[in-house]
Amino acid sequence: MKKIIATALCLMMAGSLMVGCGGEKTTREDAGGGTATAAAAGGESNKVTVDPYSGDQVKIAYVAHDLGTPNNQGWKEGIERECASWDNIKVDSYNAESSAETQVQIMSDVISQKYNAIILQCSDGTALAPSVKQAEEAGIPVITVNLDADTVHSALVMAVDYDAGRMAAEQMAKDIGESGEIAIIQGVPGLKRTDNLEKGFRDTIANYSGIEIVDAQSASFEKETAITVMNSFLQSHPNLKGVFAINDAMAEGAALAAESAGKKGQLSIWGADGEKDALAMIESGDMTGTIYTNSWDEGSTAAKIALLMIGSEYSYNVLEKTPQVIMEPIVVTKDNVASIPEEDRW
Amino acid sequence: MKEMNQTTLRRLISVGLLAILIALFTAMVGAGSGKFLNAENLMAIVRDASVPGIIGVGVTYVIITSGIDLSTGSMIALVGMVMANVYAYTLLPIPVMILTGILAGLLCGFFNGFIVAKLEIPEFIGTLATMSVFRALAYIIAIKDANGVIMSQPMNVSQYAFLGSTIGGSSKGIPYVCVALVIFVVVGQIVLRYTRFGTNLYAVGANKKAATLSGINVERIRMMAFVITGFCTAVGAVFTTARLQSATTALGTDFEFSPIAAAVVGGVALSGGSGDVVGTLIGALFMATLENGVRKLDMNTAYQYVIKGVIIICVVMFDAVYKKRMDRIAKEKGAKEGLE
């Protein structure tokens, strides 16, 4: 009897797997309405306006994906600097510890505490969409940073993603003479920004017939893991000429691995973000280049938008899509790294 | 009778610690501000405790048999992904989709039980291995776009998403997941205390050899505990994905220790043979309260972790001291009775 049940379970599982591999994706009809329907456009403004610049008490919540990373610290710093001159503006930071579930819990907490605005880096744009919508409906503007939410909200402040991938690809192609084997070190799959970066890179590389992407592995955005991944790349592809890592931490790891394999400076190693350590490694010749964005500036831009939203009667339900503010990217190589002053390195 | 008194005492202490924690946060966050002690926030705490609590029922069974299950986090991802596949590629009704997810959970639990009880691989290593295997399976069956990049699958039809919200849908209502928590804890406690299976769980945990000699099918009991954990985890995954209205491969990352921590804080001994489901519920509430309260202290994140760590150490240390004392009393009593 037990065996029969077990076999039946196996078949069910196998069945659902096959379904997953083969078929076309279907669209489901929503029967009940309610939770999934968007707010009617042009409705009454639900905003309670206070003026942060004339002394009203204002509190802003910054809900980060993982406060331990330089990027998140950079934004936090930027937001706090922007608000530091006003005694009546308070900023609280929350750490989701890289988990969308935790972030959803924090969001409902922040909404019930009636913050005036939320600056959010979505761990998962789809998973956070209901929370973002709930906040906007409660009259709390949500400004996302880099990682978008799959629902219309007040604003998205982002560093370029697709174009950063494109720029890195163009630069790398130039470096390696438009031919040879290259590899990609991926982040955690399923994040829009990093997926777009990779897509930009792949689409551009496809224009060069001489260049072949021989491998792509995930190192979960982590430096240590990237060292392992890079080592396996170097072993299985001895002719590797270039590596593109989706973020700088992984590019740093790749550079360290290349150095210990005695290949310092022989590979074209590109990252994206432009954090302090990566710029130092470009200066020392370990890394080839990165696409730099000023994270402090990005954080303070998000804070400025938040304060503007708090002070205006403008409400999200007049929007058809999320307004975007895109930060200027700078291609950094050894030649121009010195032009980024110390006070702009985060 | 004496044994009963001891459990009652232990329960009173757990509840007392929870009350102290709540009082502490009320005072620290500011009693006047009403930020911590209000109905909405207390409901949020129960809601956050629900998924670890539901999964904790199964994990409690496993720990009582002196086992451990480290794979629950990855199992959430796999169950979520199985459902996402049914959702994205078929037009099967939502209840069938949920049923498929539950079956996947049962199968995962069965697999855990099989390698641990039949193949006699130590629980810690066995479930550590399945933790990777389940996560990897989730990646393999994940929904991908044309470039092979893994995507997050929305699951936002209201027939499903309502499970993640509250009865009546208003933000002040009772979340469905809390109702499920109550059902799981009540049924879990009754099974544990008043059925032969429950008694057998304790017997296996206290002494496997003795249990075998007294005619208990140890293999089967251990296997059942894992299958039940699989079931509870699948239900937890349903409520998690319904609340997120989506499924990704990252679901449940680092989650596996939440139900274990809830059980241990609630007085379930990792050495097996003691503790119960209500204890785990109190533990889950304790952890959620701690998480929620620390967040409101206006404090640097690093210090928040220190506070969390110190409180957990204090509670578990208190538990250890209490157990030692109880053991000594029992021994002294035994010695006295021996003299008489």
Side-chain angles (χ1 to χ4, degrees):
Chain A
M1 185 56 198
K2 209 162 58 187
K3 277 203 180 114
I4 298 174
I5 295 173
T7 327
L9 285 174
C10 287
L11 285 175
M12 279 296 284
M13 271 284 272
S16 76
L17 294 194
M18 265 186 293
V19 166
C21 299
E24 279 289 297
K25 274 179 92 171
T26 54
T27 331
R28 284 181 181 262
E29 296 289 324
D30 199 319
T35 42
T37 45
E44 280 287 294
S45 172
N46 51 357
K47 283 293 295 288
V48 188
T49 45
V50 289
D51 189 352
Y53 296 116
S54 65
D56 288 346
Q57 286 301 320
V58 164
K59 47 180 191 169
I60 298 175
Y62 166 47
V63 183
H65 168 66
D66 179 2
L67 266 184
T69 63
N71 234 322
N72 283 253
Q73 286 294 335
W75 293 331
K76 179 169 179 271
E77 179 95 34
I79 296 165
E80 283 168 357
R81 279 188 200 174
E82 186 61 38
C83 302
S85 326
W86 286 276
D87 289 337
N88 57 321
I89 304 176
K90 194 162 144 278
V91 179
D92 290 325
S93 299
Y94 295 92
N95 187 4
E97 298 166 51
S98 312
S99 151
E101 293 104 299
T102 312
Q103 204 165 32
V104 167
Q105 292 177 357
I106 294 174
M107 280 296 283
S108 66
D109 201 355
V110 166
I111 294 167
S112 75
Q113 286 188 56
K114 303 192 172 58
Y115 274 84
N116 297 91
I118 300 170
I119 297 174
L120 167 74
Q121 180 196 15
C122 293
S123 298
D124 178 331
T126 320
L128 262 299
S131 307
V132 170
K133 206 165 146 267
Q134 198 193 339
E136 289 282 6
E137 274 168 7
I140 305 171
V142 178
I143 292 95
T144 46
V145 190
N146 260 17
L147 303 173
D148 195 6
D150 290 353
T151 181
V152 176
H153 56 280
S154 294
L156 163 67
V157 180
M158 63 183 289
V160 290
D161 46 24
Y162 187 90
D163 281 331
R166 177 181 57 79
M167 290 176 198
E170 281 165 358
Q171 292 290 329
M172 188 184 286
K174 222 191 292 171
D175 282 351
I176 63 174
E178 299 191 5
S179 79
E181 295 179 349
I182 59 166
I184 301 174
I185 302 180
Q186 299 160 317
V188 175
L191 297 176
K192 201 173 269 177
R193 170 177 157 78
T194 51
D195 290 352
N196 281 346
L197 259 167
E198 185 174 342
K199 198 163 180 297
F201 186 81
R202 281 181 186 272
D203 288 355
T204 313
I205 287 295
N207 300 332
Y208 301 92
S209 56
I211 303 178
E212 193 194 351
I213 299 174
V214 288
D215 215 337
Q217 298 279 338
S218 164
S220 319
F221 297 125
E222 280 165 32
K223 194 167 171 176
E224 281 164 57
T225 321
I227 295 179
T228 327
V229 169
M230 185 64 184
N231 279 334
S232 83
F233 282 170
L234 290 171
Q235 261 155 24
S236 45
H237 309 286
N239 296 325
L240 201 67
K241 285 168 97 175
V243 175
F244 174 54
I246 300 294
N247 76 345
D248 273 345
M250 296 192 294
E252 290 157 32
L256 291 176
E259 191 184 354
S260 56
K263 290 194 168 178
K264 178 177 168 168
Q266 294 171 29
L267 286 158
S268 176
I269 298 170
W270 280 80
D273 288 345
E275 63 185 53
K276 201 195 277 166
D277 292 355
L279 298 181
M281 284 187 99
I282 293 171
E283 254 160 7
S284 69
D286 287 291
M287 248 174 83
T288 318
T290 188
I291 314 296
Y292 167 89
T293 315
N294 189 334
S295 276
W296 287 334
D297 201 10
E298 200 176 349
S300 83
T301 307
K304 274 182 196 136
I305 298 174
L307 294 173
L308 177 76
M309 293 278 178
I310 294 169
S312 76
E313 282 174 23
Y314 172 77
S315 166
Y316 96 109
N317 49 21
V318 302
L319 298 171
E320 275 177 12
K321 68 190 200 56
T322 308
Q324 294 185 354
V325 176
I326 295 172
M327 306 301 295
E328 183 203 6
I330 301 171
V331 178
V332 180
T333 59
K334 202 168 182 177
D335 301 331
N336 67 351
V337 64
S339 70
I340 297 176
E342 202 55 45
E343 61 266 24
D344 277 345
R345 296 189 182 191
W346 45 274
Chain B
M1 190 58 203
K2 266 174 211 151
E3 203 256 346
M4 190 59 212
N5 280 339
Q6 257 191 41
T7 20
T8 320
L9 183 64
R10 180 66 184 78
R11 181 63 33 77
L12 281 175
I13 292 169
S14 295
V15 175
L17 286 173
L18 181 60
I20 291 171
L21 191 71
I22 292 175
L24 207 67
F25 279 130
T26 311
M28 280 167 82
V29 173
S33 74
K35 267 166 76 181
F36 181 77
L37 199 64
N38 61 60
E40 207 176 329
N41 192 45
L42 293 182
M43 185 48 85
I45 291 176
V46 179
R47 188 182 196 175
D48 292 351
S50 290
V51 171
I54 289 170
I55 298 175
V57 173
V59 171
T60 304
Y61 284 9
V62 170
I63 297 180
I64 286 175
T65 67
S66 80
I68 195 121
D69 191 342
L70 298 178
S71 69
T72 52
S74 300
M75 218 188 280
I76 292 178
L78 181 54
V79 170
M81 266 307 148
V82 167
M83 289 193 295
N85 272 290
V86 176
Y87 185 95
Y89 293 107
T90 73
L91 279 172
L92 291 172
I94 294 297
V96 176
M97 176 187 94
I98 294 175
L99 220 55
T100 321
I102 304 254
L103 281 172
L106 287 171
L107 193 71
C108 289
F110 180 79
F111 185 67
N112 272 337
F114 181 81
I115 61 164
V116 164
K118 279 261 196 253
L119 305 182
E120 298 194 346
I121 296 170
E123 286 94 345
F124 192 91
I125 294 301
T127 57
L128 189 68
T130 52
M131 172 174 134
S132 314
V133 172
F134 295 157
R135 177 77 57 193
L137 283 176
Y139 276 115
I140 291 168
I141 66 167
I143 317 277
K144 303 176 183 77
D145 71 2
N147 290 321
V149 177
I150 290 175
M151 297 189 318
S152 176
Q153 169 65 39
M155 300 163 80
N156 50 9
V157 292
S158 55
Q159 300 98 295
Y160 186 61
F162 83 93
L163 282 174
S165 97
T166 57
I167 299 174
S170 85
S171 64
K172 292 208 167 72
I174 298 168
Y176 283 99
V177 68
C178 299
V179 179
L181 174 72
V182 171
I183 296 172
F184 267 75
V185 168
V186 169
V187 174
Q189 183 74 355
I190 290 174
V191 167
L192 193 59
R193 284 289 181 208
Y194 303 107
T195 65
R196 181 174 295 253
F197 171 69
T199 320
N200 287 350
L201 282 171
Y202 285 109
V204 169
N207 189 336
K208 285 197 181 67
K209 211 170 254 171
T212 316
L213 289 177
S214 58
I216 297 171
N217 188 340
V218 173
E219 210 172 76
R220 217 186 91 195
I221 297 290
R222 291 175 74 197
M223 203 116 122
M224 279 300 288
F226 277 102
V227 173
I228 291 169
T229 306
F231 175 71
C232 296
T233 309
V235 172
V238 168
F239 283 107
T240 306
T241 50
R243 187 173 188 194
L244 298 178
Q245 297 182 16
S246 68
T248 56
T249 48
L251 277 175
T253 310
D254 297 335
F255 173 84
E256 48 276 349
F257 287 108
S258 304
I260 297 173
V264 173
V265 168
V268 184
L270 281 175
S271 50
S274 74
D276 62 6
V277 172
V278 175
T280 303
L281 169 69
I282 295 169
L285 289 173
F286 188 91
M287 297 302 282
T289 308
L290 187 56
E291 193 77 45
N292 183 296
V294 160
R295 230 183 261 153
K296 293 189 171 59
L297 290 181
D298 288 336
M299 200 181 266
N300 187 319
T301 335
Y303 294 116
Q304 293 185 5
Y305 291 130
V306 173
I307 291 198
K308 268 199 267 185
V310 167
I311 292 184
I312 293 171
I313 292 174
C314 287
V315 170
V316 178
M317 206 167 68
F318 185 84
D319 195 44
V321 170
Y322 167 81
K323 278 216 174 89
K324 223 180 215 167
R325 205 180 139 73
M326 280 303 156
D327 278 354
R328 212 184 56 218
I329 290 173
K331 238 179 234 164
E332 275 167 8
K333 224 177 237 167
K336 232 187 243 163
E337 273 160 19
L339 280 177
E340 284 162 10

